[in-house]
């Protein structure tokens, strides 16, 4: 696997409409497009770029589009806004060059070998300055509300940025002062769907739930997310709100380390469907999808398949299909392993199985998992997606999950590994134990 294929490994071999070739790369707000030397101007016309995409980076000189013109979505009063572009590249901590080691497989004299692997982080470098920030906040919090108004004022006065907030937050700001008339928002769901064409950076003020809410807003590409910790547990919120000016100043300058948090794409297929292509609207989850027995007193009975191969029949309270970012959430409580968020995989974790030998699995990221309620099931099953949007699954219905092609890029305070380890130490007190005394019996 070459360096480019490694970055997009979680997105290949998916649905035909979203399949990603190893000859593609990430650009700007995390979308995947074919390699190109063209840039698209704010009027939607292509321009040949004189710069090359770089031999060792993942760069872009295009403004992102969904196959249609979106220049009208970038217009704010009296000003034409062009989305900021950035470059993603591998970086090896502590090394002068980030290209010394590559994840490749070589074949020489009949022997298959892999090159020495390095601890690489993904670095984001702005190629044009960010101009628009979306701020999402936890509701019903006085502390968050005060911080939001202070941050909006600072970003406008010190950084001259365009600010988007939710309609609820704009109303709160205008209730406090008419100064915030410049703050922008949206009026309907169609405008929400096009936010990724306007926003360069998303700032969340809250806990992990606010990050989940931000990811849920973007049904496709997601701009880089900067999560500030104002909640109870913060596995995905490494930034402390007390120092937001220093953090945002550094992030807006760049470069920054990011974690690509993969999402699952879920489809419900009803028994009445004529084919597997006849599905309900797809749902994206950042943590997990849970299939459980709901209020039924009967065991869940779920037939599970992986790429059309039978896996097992779950008999118990239910099943969790989790991303690696969600490995510290419900899956952990059900006995699943904690997994680094940049490990590409899908966690297969049973909930209270009525079996002594049913252990959790971690499956590769490229598989498609199908969970079917058999016709001989005594009751219905219920599916919930990141803890909400519960759907009833009757006998004959199925839920199909695969890795989504749009990850959630979250900024790191230091790097993804350090942030992950700090979160499980501080959030879970992982392996906290009093150190054994050094005085006592010793080996001779």
């Amino acid at each position: 696997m070459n360096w480019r294929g490694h970055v997009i490994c979680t997105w290949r071999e998916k649905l035909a409409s979203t399949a990603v070739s190893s000859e593609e790369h990430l650009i700007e707000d995390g979308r995947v497009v074919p390699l190109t030397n063209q840039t698209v101007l704010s009027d939607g016309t292509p321009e040949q770029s004189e710069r090359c995409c770089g031999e060792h980076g993942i760069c872009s000189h295009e403004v992102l589009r969904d196959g249609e013109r979106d220049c009208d979505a970038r217009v704010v009063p009296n000003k034409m806004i062009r989305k900021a572009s950035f470059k993603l590249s591998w970086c090896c901590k502590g090394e002068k060059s980030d290209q010394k080691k590559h994840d490749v497989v070589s074949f020489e004299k009949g022997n298959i070998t892999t090159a020495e692997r390095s601890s690489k982080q993904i670095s984001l470098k702005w190629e044009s300055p960010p101009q628009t920030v979306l701020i999402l906040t936890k509701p019903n919090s006085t502390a968050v509300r005060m911080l939001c108004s202070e941050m909006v004022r600072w970003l406008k006065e010190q950084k001259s940025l365009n600010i988007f907030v939710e309609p609820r937050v704009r109303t709160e700001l205008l209730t406090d002062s008419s100064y915030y008339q410049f703050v922008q928002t949206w009026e309907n769901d169609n405008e929400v769907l096009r936010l990724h064409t306007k926003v360069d950076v998303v700032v969340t003020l809250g806990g992990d739930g606010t990050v989940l809410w931000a990811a849920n807003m973007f049904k496709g590409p997601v701009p880089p997310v900067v999560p500030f910790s104002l909640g109870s547990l913060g596995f995905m919120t490494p930034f402390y709100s007390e120092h937001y000016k220093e953090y945002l100043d550094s992030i807006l300058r760049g470069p920054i380390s990011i974690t690509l948090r993969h999402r699952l794409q879920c489809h419900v297929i009803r028994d009445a469907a004529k084919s597997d292509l006849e599905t309900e609207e797809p749902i994206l989850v950042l943590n997990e999808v849970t299939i459980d027995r709901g209020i039924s007193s009967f065991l869940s009975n779920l037939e599970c398949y992986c790429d059309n191969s039978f896996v097992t029949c779950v008999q118990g309270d239910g099943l969790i299909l989790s991303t690696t970012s969600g490995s510290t959430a419900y899956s952990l409580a059900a006995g699943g392993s904690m997994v680094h968020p940049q490990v590409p995989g899908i966690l297969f974790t049973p909930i209270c199985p009525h079996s002594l030998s049913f252990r959790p699995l971690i499956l590769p990221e490229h598989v498609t998992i199908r969970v079917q309620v058999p016709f001989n099931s005594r009751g219905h099953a219920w599916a919930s997606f990141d803890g909400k949007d519960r759907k009833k699954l009757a006998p004959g219905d199925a839920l199909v999950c695969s890795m989504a092609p749009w990850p959630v890029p979250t900024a790191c305070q230091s790097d993804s590994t350090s942030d992950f380890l700090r979160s499980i130490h501080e959030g879970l007190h992982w392996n906290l134990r009093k150190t054994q005394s050094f005085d006592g019996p010793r080996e001779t």
Side-chain angles (χ1 to χ4, degrees), residues 38-283:
Q38 287 188 329
T39 183
V40 180
L41 300 179
S42 58
D43 61 357
T45 59
E47 176 186 66
Q48 190 71 24
S49 173
E50 297 179 358
R51 296 174 296 172
C52 119
C53 286
E55 184 180 358
H56 300 301
I58 311 163
C59 70
S60 161
H61 311 299
E62 288 190 350
V63 173
L64 301 178
R65 297 190 299 174
D66 276 330
E68 56 181 340
R69 290 184 179 272
D70 56 12
C71 57
D72 59 324
R74 300 172 195 165
V75 180
V76 296
N78 303 322
K79 189 175 182 180
M80 180 73 74
I81 301 300
R82 172 179 175 175
K83 265 187 65 67
S85 63
F86 58 72
K87 173 181 177 179
L88 298 182
S89 59
W90 291 118
C91 62
C92 295
K93 195 171 182 180
E95 296 186 9
K96 294 181 179 180
S97 171
D98 60 355
Q99 304 303 331
K100 292 182 179 179
K101 303 170 186 176
H102 304 277
D103 295 328
V104 297
V105 176
S106 61
F107 184 85
E108 183 179 0
K109 297 181 180 179
N111 298 318
I112 298 177
T113 62
T114 58
E116 183 179 2
R117 295 175 180 267
S118 57
S119 177
K120 298 178 180 178
Q121 303 293 328
I122 300 176
S123 177
L124 182 151
K125 181 179 180 181
W126 299 105
E127 296 192 320
S128 59
Q131 301 181 59
T132 305
V133 174
L134 168 64
I135 300 178
L136 299 175
T137 67
K138 178 176 68 173
N140 305 320
S141 171
T142 303
V144 169
R145 183 170 175 175
M146 293 175 60
L147 176 63
C148 178
S149 60
E150 181 183 328
M151 183 180 291
V152 168
R153 183 184 291 268
W154 182 79
L155 288 171
K156 186 64 177 179
E157 295 178 354
Q158 301 299 320
K159 300 299 180 181
S160 302
L161 294 176
N162 303 295
I163 312 295
F164 273 83
V165 297
E166 297 170 89
R168 166 187 59 83
V169 176
R170 187 174 191 274
T171 301
E172 292 175 352
L173 291 172
L174 291 177
T175 300
D176 294 339
S177 171
S178 59
Y179 167 81
Y180 297 102
Q181 289 286 348
F182 62 86
V183 175
Q184 303 176 64
T185 188
W186 52 87
E187 296 181 355
N188 53 56
D189 292 342
N190 287 333
E191 294 185 22
V192 174
L193 292 175
R194 299 189 62 76
L195 273 178
H196 72 275
T197 65
K198 304 177 184 181
V199 173
D200 297 316
V201 177
V202 179
V203 174
T204 65
L205 306 179
D208 286 354
T210 311
V211 178
L212 292 176
W213 171 246
N216 183 65
M217 287 185 60
F218 294 90
K219 308 302 181 184
V222 186
V225 178
V226 184
F228 284 91
S229 177
L230 287 100
S232 51
L233 279 180
F235 295 105
M236 294 186 284
T237 54
F239 295 99
Y240 300 111
S241 59
E242 296 85 357
H243 308 291
Y244 76 86
K245 294 180 182 179
E246 294 89 335
Y247 287 137
L248 288 178
D249 185 63
S250 175
I251 288 168
L252 293 173
R253 288 198 317 267
I256 59 174
S257 293
I258 65 169
T259 299
L260 290 181
R261 299 184 179 275
H262 307 289
R263 294 190 286 181
L264 293 179
Q265 184 169 252
C266 309
H267 300 263
V268 174
I269 304 175
R270 300 297 179 185
D271 177 46
K274 296 179 180 179
S275 71
D276 284 357
L277 298 178
E278 188 178 326
T279 68
E280 297 183 0
E281 189 73 17
I283 300 175

Side-chain angles (χ1 to χ4, degrees), residues 11-21 24 265 277 368 402:
W11 303 335
R12 65 182 184 273
E13 299 177 358
K14 298 302 173 193
L15 300 176
S17 61
T18 56
V20 177
S21 164
E24 299 174 324
Q265 184 169 252
L277 298 178
T368 297
S402 59

